[in-house]
Amino acid sequence: MSARTAQFLIAAVFLILGGWCLLGPASVIELAFTESYRDSSFINRFTIACFGAQAVLFGLMALVTRWSARSFAVFGVLLLPFFGFNYWFHYEVPVLTSIGMLDFAGNVTMLGLAIMGWRAARTAEQAG
């Protein structure tokens, strides 16, 4: 897999999940949050949509920039705290449903892609 393909697939995760939050915040609240934490008030829908807008923005930036091996490495390291977030808010404080754990699946996917992208970019950079 090329570094560019890995980067585009990382962007796709942001665009798909972020787009869902941006365009359907009420469905995100309904499907991703456990009943005791579900609140579909305007401010919560607005907050989820804002979160989605930021994810879409990052996804679009990932499509139009060129990442180096260092970019993939930094991105991979910066993803690690999100695994703690997923664990905490699914197992310790049960906010996220199994569908809400799509965030975890996205993070695992992006971490794998960051490693593959790092390897491909490093090889390309060493080749010259």
Side-chain angles (χ1 to χ4, degrees), residues 45-103:
R45 291 190 318 274
F46 176 76
T47 302
I48 295 295
C50 288
F51 172 79
Q54 290 179 336
V56 167
L57 175 64
F58 183 82
L60 292 171
M61 288 304 300
L63 290 176
V64 300
T65 59
R66 185 166 302 275
W67 290 10
S68 65
R70 182 178 179 175
S71 302
F72 283 106
V74 168
F75 179 77
V77 169
L78 294 176
L79 271 177
L80 297 178
F82 290 90
F83 290 99
F85 171 91
N86 293 139
Y87 174 83
W88 186 260
F89 287 109
H90 184 70
Y91 295 106
E92 298 297 327
V93 180
V95 174
L96 298 173
T97 65
S98 295
I99 292 173
M101 288 299 279
L102 282 172
D103 183 67

Side-chain angles (χ1 to χ4, degrees), residues 3-19:
R4 197 77 172 140
T5 300
Q7 185 178 333
F8 282 171
L9 292 173
I10 289 169
V13 173
F14 278 97
L15 293 170
I16 292 166
L17 294 178

Side-chain angles (χ1 to χ4, degrees), residues 20-21 23-32 38 40 44-45 48-49:
W20 178 32
C21 291
L23 299 174
S27 75
V28 172
I29 292 167
E30 182 65 28
L31 296 171
R38 209 172 285 149
S40 59
N44 283 341
R45 291 190 318 274
I48 295 295

